[in-house]
C-alpha cells in the first residue's frame, strides 16, 4: 500500500478494484489532499464477499481455537510493532491529537484482538441429560459455530478502535469479514491488511472495500445476499437503512448508534473530579464520541460554580494540529461535519441560548485557516424540548441545566429518544446506584466516564442500538449457538 493511494484489500492482496473511480482523502487540519481512495463498486464487493466465503470453508475453519488465537495475538503485536505508523495515519485522517491516539485509539486497536483471542479459549457450553421416564438416555449439549461472512460498517470518529472492536471478536469466533470503513478515514483499516498478512491470517479472512454508504460500497455490502450478518457503528438514521437491507434474507444485525448522553452532577460530588470528567466527556476527540456528554444537569446549589469552572476549562483547551505540543482539541473530521456543527451553534444562538463560551469557529493561522476547526462551546438557558437538547450534534459542546430533585433529573435525563450512556457524579453511592438504575440507557458511569472493561456488555437502549457486544455478548452475536441431542 502506498500512502498516496488507498486500495481495497481483497483475498490477501491490495487491489484498485474494477470500478475505476477514486476520490480524495482530505486532511481536516488544513483541507489539503492526503491521498486518493478507490471507490468500490458492486463487483469489488462481490469479489470481497466471495473471498470471505472461500476462506470460511478453508484453513481458518480448520484451525484449532488455540491456533486462531495465536494468530490474533500476532495481529495485536503487529499493530503495536507499527504503533507510530498507525498513529500517524489515524491522526492524519481524523486530525485528532497524537496524545489521544497514543493513549486510546491505537492501544485499543491491539487490545481488541487480544481480549477476544483470550475469551474464545474459555467458552462454556450447556448440557442437559434427559431423565424423564419416557425420554431416558439422551444427552443434549451446545456448540458454537461461526456465523459466517460478517459485513462490518464502521464510522470515522475512532476508526481503528471501532473497526477492530468488531473484527477482533468476529475473527476470534472463526468468521471472516468484509469491512467498509468510513469514506473519510480509510487508512488504518487499509494498513491493517499488511499486519494481517504478516501475522499469518489466511487470505480472504479479512477484506476491505472502500467507498461511501448509500448507492456505494456500504449499501452494496449490506445488501449482499451472501453476507450472513451485519455489524454497524454509526448514525441512527444509517442504522435504519441498514436494517431494511438486512431484512432481505433475515440477516442478523448488531448496531451501535447515536447518543444524546446526560451527565448528572449532584451537589455532593467531588467537584474537581466532576469537572475533569465532564471536560473529557464533552470535549475529547473534539466532541466526536458517541458516548460524549451533550446534556449536563447540575444540582442548583453548585450550578454557578460548575458553569464557571467548566468555562475556565474549555477556554484553557489548546486547539491545534495533531503533533502540536499540548494540543487537546483537533479539528472536526470534515467540512461537512464542521458545517453541521456550526449550524447547531447558530441555531442555539437564535433560540436564545446563553453562550457561556465559544459558539463559532476559532481564528487559526494562515496554514490552518482552511481546516475544520470549531470552538469548544457551552450553553445554558435552553428548555429541554429545544432541538439543541434533543438532536445529536457530535461536536465539542454541551448545554448545562440546573435541577432541584432526584426525580426531576431522572425524568430530564430520560426525556430523549436515545439511550446510549450516562454519567452520575455524587459521593453518595446509594444515590448513585438508585439513579443509575433508573436511567434508560445501556451504560452508566458513576464518578467516571469511558472507563472500559472489554468484558462488559456495551451497547445502547432505545434508538442508540440493537444488541450488546463485549465479552461473552460478542460471542452471542458472532456465533451460532446449536444444540445437539444424542440418544444413547
Ligand atoms: P454514518 O452513519 O454516517 O456512517 C457510518 C458508516 O456507515 C460509514 O462507513 C458510512 O459510509 C456507512 N453508511 C452510510 N450510509 C450507509 C448505507 N445506506 N448503507 C450502508 N452503509 C452506510 O456515521 P458517521 O458519521 O461515520 O459516525 C458518526 C455517528 O456514529 C454518530 O451518530 C455517532 O453517535 C455514531 N457512533 C456510535 C457509536 C456507538 O458505539 N454507539 C460509536 C461511534 C459512532
Ligand atoms: O469502547 C468501545 O468499545 C466503544 N465501542 C466505544 C465507542 C465510542 C464511540 O464513539
Amino acid at each position: 500500500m502506498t500512502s498516496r493511494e488507498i486500495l481495497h484489500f481483497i483475498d490477501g492482496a491490495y487491489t484498485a478494484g474494477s470500478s475505476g473511480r477514486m476520490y480524495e482523502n482530505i486532511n481536516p487540519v488544513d483541507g489539503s489532499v492526503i491521498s486518493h481512495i478507490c471507490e468500490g463498486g458492486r463487483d469489488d464487493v462481490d469479489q470481497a464477499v466471495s473471498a470471505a466465503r472461500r476462506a470460511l470453508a478453508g484453513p481458518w475453519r480448520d484451525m484449532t481455537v488455540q491456533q486462531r488465537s495465536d494468530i490474533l495475538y500476532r495481529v495485536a503485536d503487529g499493530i503495536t510493532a507499527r504503533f507510530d505508523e498507525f498513529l500517524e495515519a489515524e491522526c492524519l485522517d481524523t486530525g485528532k491529537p497524537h496524545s489521544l491516539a497514543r493513549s486510546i485509539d491505537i492501544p485499543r486497536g491491539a487490545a481488541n484482538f487480544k481480549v477476544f483471542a483470550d475469551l474464545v479459549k474459555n467458552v462454556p457450553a450447556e448440557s442437559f441429560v434427559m431423565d424423564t421416564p419416557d425420554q431416558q438416555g439422551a444427552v443434549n449439549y451446545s456448540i458454537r459455530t461461526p456465523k459466517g461472512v460478517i459485513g462490518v460498517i464502521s464510522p470515522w470518529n475512532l476508526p481503528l478502535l471501532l473497526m477492530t472492536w468488531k473484527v477482533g471478536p468476529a475473527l476470534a469466533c472463526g468468521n471472516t469479514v468484509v469491512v467498509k470503513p468510513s469514506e473519510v478515514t480509510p487508512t488504518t483499516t487499509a494498513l491493517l491488511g499488511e499486519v494481517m498478512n504478516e501475522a499469518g491470517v489466511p487470505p480472504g479472512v479479512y477484506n476491505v472495500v472502500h467507498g461511501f454508504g448509500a448507492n456505494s460500497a456500504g449499501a452494496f455490502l449490506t445488501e449482499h445476499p451472501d453476507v450472513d450478518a451485519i455489524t454497524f457503528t454509526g448514525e441512527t438514521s444509517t442504522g435504519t437503512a441498514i436494517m431494511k437491507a438486512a431484512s432481505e434474507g433475515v440477516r442478523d444485525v448488531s448496531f451501535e448508534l447515536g447518543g444524546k448522553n446526560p451527565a448528572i452532577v449532584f451537589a455532593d460530588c467531588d467537584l474537581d473530579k466532576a469537572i475533569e470528567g465532564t471536560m473529557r466527556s464533552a470535549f475529547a476527540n473534539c466532541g466526536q464520541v458517541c458516548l460524549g456528554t451533550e446534556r449536563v444537569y447540575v444540582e442548583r446549589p453548585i450550578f454557578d460554580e460548575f458553569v464557571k469552572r467548566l468555562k475556565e476549562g474549555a477556554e484553557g483547551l489548546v486547539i491545534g494540529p495533531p503533533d502540536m505540543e499540548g494540543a487537546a482539541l483537533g479539528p472536526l473530521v470534515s467540512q461537512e461535519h464542521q458545517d453541521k456543527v456550526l449550524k447547531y451553534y447558530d441555531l442555539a444562538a437564535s433560540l436564545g441560548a446563553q453562550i457561556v463560551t465559544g459558539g463559532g469557529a476559532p481564528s487559526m493561522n494562515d496554514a490552518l485557516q482552511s481546516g475544520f476547526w470549531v470552538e469548544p462551546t457551552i450553553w445554558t438557558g435552553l428548555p429541554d424540548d429545544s432541538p439543541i437538547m434533543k438532536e445529536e450534534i457530535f461536536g465539542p459542546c454541551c448545554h448545562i441545566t440546573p435541577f432541584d430533585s432526584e426525580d426531576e433529573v431522572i425524568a430530564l435525563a430520560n426525556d430523549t429518544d436515545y439511550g446510549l450512556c450516562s454519567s452520575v457524579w455524587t459521593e453518595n453511592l446509594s444515590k448513585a446506584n438508585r439513579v443509575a438504575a433508573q436511567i434508560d440507557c445501556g451504560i452508566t458511569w458513576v464518578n467516571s466516564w469511558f472507563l472500559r472493561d472489554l468484558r462488559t456488555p456495551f451497547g445502547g437502549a432505545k434508538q442508540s442500538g440493537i444488541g450488546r457486544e463485549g465479552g461473552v455478548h460478542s460471542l452471542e452475536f458472532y456465533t451460532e449457538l446449536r444444540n445437539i441431542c444424542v440418544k444413547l
Side-chain angles (χ1 to χ4, degrees):
M1 194 184 80
T2 72
S3 58
R4 305 306 302 166
E5 262 184 17
I6 307 292
L7 304 175
H8 312 302
F9 182 75
I10 298 176
D11 213 5
Y14 287 96
T15 167
S18 55
S19 82
R21 289 191 300 277
M22 298 198 103
Y23 61 97
E24 291 176 338
N25 187 15
I26 302 297
N27 186 345
V29 160
D30 58 10
S32 62
V33 176
I34 307 168
S35 56
H36 290 85
I37 309 163
C38 296
E39 184 189 352
R42 275 195 199 276
D43 282 353
D44 303 310
V45 172
D46 255 348
Q47 297 280 327
V49 173
S50 302
R53 177 65 54 196
R54 284 193 302 277
L56 194 65
W60 199 235
R61 183 197 59 184
D62 296 335
M63 278 181 199
T64 62
V65 170
Q66 182 66 54
Q67 284 169 325
R68 270 206 304 267
S69 173
D70 288 347
I71 290 182
L72 295 181
Y73 253 79
R74 290 208 290 274
V75 172
D77 291 342
I79 294 173
T80 307
R82 298 172 70 168
F83 196 97
D84 289 346
E85 219 177 319
F86 274 95
L87 182 129
E88 280 293 337
E90 200 74 317
C91 294
L92 203 54
D93 275 2
T94 59
K96 70 177 68 190
H98 278 188
S99 55
L100 190 66
R102 190 178 301 287
S103 59
I104 296 183
D105 301 65
I106 314 303
R108 266 294 300 277
N112 287 338
F113 286 99
K114 287 194 174 166
V115 164
F116 294 103
D118 285 339
L119 199 88
V120 285
K121 290 192 285 188
N122 296 294
V123 181
E126 306 169 32
S127 72
F128 295 96
V129 178
M130 300 171 81
D131 64 353
T132 58
D134 54 335
Q135 293 174 327
Q136 270 176 348
V139 63
N140 291 275
Y141 66 95
S142 64
I143 59 167
R144 287 186 180 277
T145 53
K147 209 160 231 178
V149 175
I150 310 288
V152 180
I153 309 275
S154 49
W156 45 254
N157 59 326
L158 305 165
L160 182 72
L161 186 160
L162 290 171
M163 180 269 295
T164 52
W165 171 241
K166 310 292 200 172
V167 170
L171 298 192
C173 291
N175 301 284
T176 58
V177 296
V178 179
V179 184
K180 207 299 282 173
S182 167
E183 51 272 35
V184 293
T185 56
T187 311
T188 49
T189 304
L191 186 57
L192 188 63
E194 290 183 15
V195 172
M196 292 280 174
N197 281 348
E198 287 156 9
V201 174
V205 169
Y206 173 78
N207 305 276
V208 180
V209 181
H210 301 287
F212 301 88
N215 303 312
S216 183
F220 302 153
L221 179 60
T222 54
E223 289 162 7
H224 201 291
D226 218 19
V227 169
D228 297 298
I230 299 159
T231 183
F232 166 70
T233 306
E235 283 190 18
T236 299
S237 56
T238 311
T240 306
I242 292 179
M243 200 158 175
K244 283 186 187 141
S247 72
E248 279 296 323
V250 201
R251 276 111 26 86
D252 207 355
V253 294
S254 172
F255 284 172
E256 295 180 19
L257 307 175
K260 189 74 186 176
N261 310 303
I264 299 177
V265 186
F266 285 101
D268 61 0
C269 71
D270 178 325
L271 192 55
D272 289 345
K273 288 186 187 150
I275 291 288
E276 187 275 334
T278 310
M279 281 296 295
R280 284 191 298 116
S281 70
F283 304 126
N285 208 35
C286 207
Q288 303 164 115
V289 183
C290 61
L291 307 162
T293 301
E294 292 191 359
R295 297 182 294 144
V296 186
Y297 298 102
V298 180
E299 206 167 9
R300 202 172 298 274
I302 60 163
F303 179 78
D304 290 343
E305 174 71 3
F306 186 94
V307 172
K308 176 172 152 284
R309 290 192 52 187
L310 204 71
K311 168 181 158 65
E312 284 164 6
E315 289 174 355
L317 289 171
V318 177
I319 303 179
D323 57 355
M324 182 179 153
E325 185 68 31
L329 212 68
L332 293 171
V333 77
S334 64
Q335 173 84 70
E336 188 188 348
H337 194 50
Q338 185 197 32
D339 291 346
K340 174 182 157 181
V341 171
L342 289 177
K343 261 195 199 135
Y344 277 108
Y345 283 13
D346 291 346
L347 179 65
S350 71
L351 290 171
Q354 186 192 331
I355 301 165
V356 175
T357 188
S363 92
M364 304 296 287
N365 68 34
D366 286 351
L368 302 175
Q369 199 51 46
S370 304
F372 312 130
W373 310 94
V374 295
E375 291 173 325
T377 294
I378 300 172
W379 305 285
T380 58
L382 289 175
D384 219 55
D385 61 358
S386 156
I388 298 295
M389 303 294 275
K390 295 286 176 210
E391 296 166 22
E392 183 186 49
I393 301 171
F394 223 54
C397 55
C398 63
H399 181 278
I400 315 180
T401 307
F403 72 90
D404 295 298
S405 76
E406 216 175 287
D407 287 348
E408 177 198 5
V409 78
I410 290 167
L412 287 169
N414 285 335
D415 187 13
T416 168
D417 290 336
Y418 291 109
L420 186 56
C421 75
S422 57
S423 37
V424 178
W425 299 89
T426 170
E427 292 295 288
N428 178 340
L429 287 185
S430 299
K431 178 159 63 182
N433 282 299
R434 196 167 60 231
V435 171
Q438 293 178 77
I439 303 175
D440 301 333
C441 66
I443 306 142
T444 296
W445 279 287
V446 173
N447 296 330
S448 58
W449 176 74
F450 206 167
L451 187 57
R452 292 284 286 116
D453 179 331
L454 306 188
R455 298 167 299 182
T456 58
F458 184 97
K462 301 198 269 185
Q463 291 186 22
S464 288
I466 295 182
R468 294 290 179 271
E469 296 200 32
V472 293
H473 309 283
S474 295
L475 304 188
E476 289 294 336
F477 180 70
Y478 293 107
T479 61
E480 203 64 60
L481 181 60
R482 299 163 50 189
N483 186 66
I484 297 177
C485 177
V486 182
K487 179 85 177 79
L488 300 173

